[in-house]
Amino acid sequence: QLQLVESGGGSVQPGGSLRLSCTASGDTLDTYAIGWYRQAPGTEREGVSCVSSGGRTFDYADSMKGRFTISRDNAKNTVYLHVHDLKPEDTAVYLCAANGASCLSGMDYWGKGTLVTVSS
């Protein structure tokens, strides 16, 4: 069964950058669509970005375009989320998820998340 583990979160000042990683075990990621989501305190989970099994990217939120970039390295069985120019409102737990269909389908597998805290 596919398992996902996120890493790369931490505390950063406004304007900083991070690279978040989503690494799979139990199966190879190359056949899955992988999405990044986030959940801030007191809010519902929000979609960030997704990459299909064919490498096509899809941004779920216009507010994050140009600052967040998703990519995949199938050789490392890992999907990345590069986050730039971070703002306090970006503070959240960031989660990755996978399905075997498309970025527009419901996700079947979820990681536990990695915390990003943006503050001065």
Side-chain angles (χ1 to χ4, degrees):
Q1 185 176 357
L2 182 69
Q3 294 181 318
L4 304 173
V5 178
E6 302 92 339
S7 63
S11 181
V12 64
Q13 294 183 337
S17 300
L18 290 171
R19 186 183 73 171
L20 309 182
S21 299
C22 174
T23 300
S25 61
D27 203 355
T28 55
L29 278 182
D30 59 352
T31 63
Y32 292 88
I34 307 296
W36 279 97
Y37 299 78
R38 69 183 187 183
Q39 186 168 14
T43 71
E44 294 186 353
R45 188 170 57 217
E46 175 187 27
V48 177
S49 188
C50 184
V51 59
S52 72
S53 60
R56 182 177 180 180
T57 60
F58 178 83
D59 295 318
Y60 290 121
D62 290 338
S63 63
M64 288 174 277
K65 285 185 176 180
R67 297 193 300 117
F68 291 12
T69 302
I70 193 169
S71 63
R72 66 191 306 158
D73 186 341
N74 290 335
K76 295 182 178 180
N77 218 25
T78 298
V79 172
Y80 302 100
L81 184 69
H82 300 259
V83 297
H84 306 282
D85 191 25
L86 285 164
K87 304 174 182 180
E89 64 197 65
D90 296 320
T91 296
V93 173
Y94 285 74
L95 309 96
C96 64
N99 69 50
S102 76
C103 289
L104 301 179
S105 301
M107 296 296 173
D108 300 315
Y109 305 95
W110 291 85
K112 297 298 183 182
T114 184
L115 177 63
V116 173
T117 302
V118 185
S119 63
S120 59

